[in-house]
């Protein structure tokens, strides 16, 4: 055997070893891909019922939102009616009540001032009478 043939034989053996060394990780990678494919299939099979339940839940929520929207419209209508009623009552009864309150305040103030004035006059008369009685 010549030197070139020995070198070719060594190169061929090295290439076979290299292929064998690379074959092991490739086989493991193939198993890993198989497991990943299986996991994706199981997930796909398991997600269908979840999506169906989520769809039903969303439909139920949408139905409830329609009811809530109706309630909100009614509350808005009631609020508008109450505001209008308050304005009517305020304009109808508010002004006369303010006038009545002002009138009763004036009457109380006048009566109170007269009582105070009468009390002052009585005190002055008594004081003058006491002075005259001493002299």
């Amino acid at each position: 055997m010549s030197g070139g043939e020995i070198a070719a034989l060594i190169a061929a053996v090295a290439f076979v070893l290299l292929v064998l060394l690379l074959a092991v990780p490739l086989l493991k990678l193939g198993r890993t891909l198989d497991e990943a494919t299986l996991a994706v299939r199981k997930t796909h099979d398991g997600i269908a019922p979840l999506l169906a339940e989520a769809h039903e839940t969303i439909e139920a929520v949408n139905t409830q939102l329609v009811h809530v929207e109706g309630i909100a419209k009614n509350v808005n209508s009631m609020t508008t009616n109450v505001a209008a009623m308050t304005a009517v009552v305020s304009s109808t009864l508010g002004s006369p009540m303010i006038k009545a309150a002002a009138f009763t305040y004036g009457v109380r103030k006048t009566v109170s001032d007269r009582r105070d004035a009468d009390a002052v006059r009585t005190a002055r008369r008594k004081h003058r009478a006491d002075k005259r009685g001493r002299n």
Side-chain angles (χ1 to χ4, degrees), residues 14 20 22 38 45 60 70 90 98 101-102 135:
L20 288 175
L22 290 176
L38 183 62
D45 293 342
S90 175
I98 291 171
N135 288 337

Side-chain angles (χ1 to χ4, degrees), residues 57-73:
T57 302
I58 289 173
E59 285 180 353
V61 167
N62 285 338
T63 304
Q64 293 301 320
L65 285 176
V66 168
H67 293 301
V68 169
E69 182 180 3
I71 291 169
K73 284 181 182 178

Side-chain angles (χ1 to χ4, degrees), residues 17-34:
L17 286 175
L18 180 65
V19 168
L20 288 175
L21 287 174
L22 290 176
V24 172
L26 286 175
L27 289 174
K28 287 184 180 181
L29 180 62
R31 286 189 212 134
T32 303
L33 288 175
D34 289 341

Side-chain angles (χ1 to χ4, degrees), residues 90-107:
S90 175
S91 65
T92 304
L93 297 178
S95 180
M97 289 178 73
I98 291 171
K99 289 178 183 176
F103 176 74
T104 55
Y105 174 76
V107 168

